[in-house]
Amino acid sequence: MIVVENSHRKAGRPRTSVLDRERITQHALELVTASGYEGLTMQRLAKSLGVSPSALYNHVDSKQDLLQWIQESVMTQVDSSSFDTLPLREALGHWATSYRDTFSNHIPLIPVIAVLPVADSPRTLRMYERVARALTEAGLAQEQVVPTIVALESFIFGSAMDTSAPHDIFDAGAHHEETQNFTEAIEAQRRTEVPTSDASFQRGLRALIEGMVP
Amino acid sequence: MIVVENSHRKAGRPRTSVLDRERITQHALELVTASGYEGLTMQRLAKSLGVSPSALYNHVDSKQDLLQWIQESVMTQVDSSSFDTLPLREALGHWATSYRDTFSNHIPLIPVIAVLPVADSPRTLRMYERVARALTEAGLAQEQVVPTIVALESFIFGSAMDTSAPHDIFDAGAHHEETQNFTEAIEAQRRTEVPTSDASFQRGLRALIEGMVP
DNA sequence: ACCTGAACACCGTTCAAGT
DNA sequence: ACCTGAACACCGTTCAAGT
């Protein structure tokens, strides 16, 4: 009897639902890690939680809502600590790289962030505040702070998406004659042996930082 | 009788299917214009073409395939003509702006482009060639041509996605105290009365071009 | 308050059968 | 060669009914 009781109510805990935001988000992230975002469906998530699909809707408004929870959780992986330890330009470089690397593994979240009001994501808001403070303290004109952050973020998101490109995406196939300059540029870049997405990110990031921050 | 014949075979034309890539793409684009990408389904496309959904699969491998056709068609809207008439930096600015404005209206195509081998999209390839030639002729080191283009493109795609953000996306809600720098930066930017997405695009684009091209 | 089971209104895609 | 109609294997979401 006692055993059966325990399996239904966690001993010593207040009697609450077995589902909450934390547990749902955690299982969702496990599903994503195991099988990508195409493997994240409400039905599979319910099965992973040992519950019927409709039960989820007592806690989540919609799948879009769930994706916002996941976004908020993933955002904690972005490292903003360099603003406390490094000069501004280096700190921005570290932060941007961490930001890109994080969302390279969560590309389907990018459209979610792009549309999500920051007020709904306190951790994201705190990150923006940290960057805004660093830029302001460095003497950047106040009205340029937000455009600077947004420009960096647009570049970061675009670069994160670019990392999923197949490595041979630029093979010109049968069109070599009409695309001589481009084809030779591809080969010259390939000879450097650094992945195109990394070389592009480094190059763009340096230009953005040097051109936008004091 | 003749009338019935005409309604089944276009007079004077070779006897072919009523469906071809051009007509399918055109109807798909009309659907997108009328009701967005969430309105583009194989069933609705079939209805628009007066055909059963399964008939489409005699001409298209998959919906992904269809999106590639649309991408190729939309890409023709990007204006590369400035490379023939303007100095390099101004030309890049015009081209990038046209590129962003075009895909602001076709955001769901961006993941398609990011993964599509350029060999499958001759028009896109021609565009890359035009930009590569301009950069090469301006004296940019050959191995830097592709990273320069990719960095610009990442920024363009990210900026295109940013244009779909709600105008009040940065309202901090109840967190004003903890996010003082950011909140004040938002207000300072707002006072300029230029949309955040446009200010950010202009600022980032200028930095990228000045930092990457001779 | 929270869960189940059935149902709804869709998706993209396949395939036998027809012409 | 190309189309139809039925079917399949899913989706996200709703809702009455139960506890």
Side-chain angles (χ1 to χ4, degrees), chain A residues 2 28 46 67 69 72 113 168 177 183 186:
Chain A
I2 289 173
L67 288 174
W69 292 2
E72 172 89 346
I113 306 172
D168 59 350
E177 314 77 34
T183 303
I186 292 288

Side-chain angles (χ1 to χ4, degrees), chain A residues 17 52 54 58-59:
Chain A
S17 166
S52 80
S54 51
N58 289 305
H59 302 87

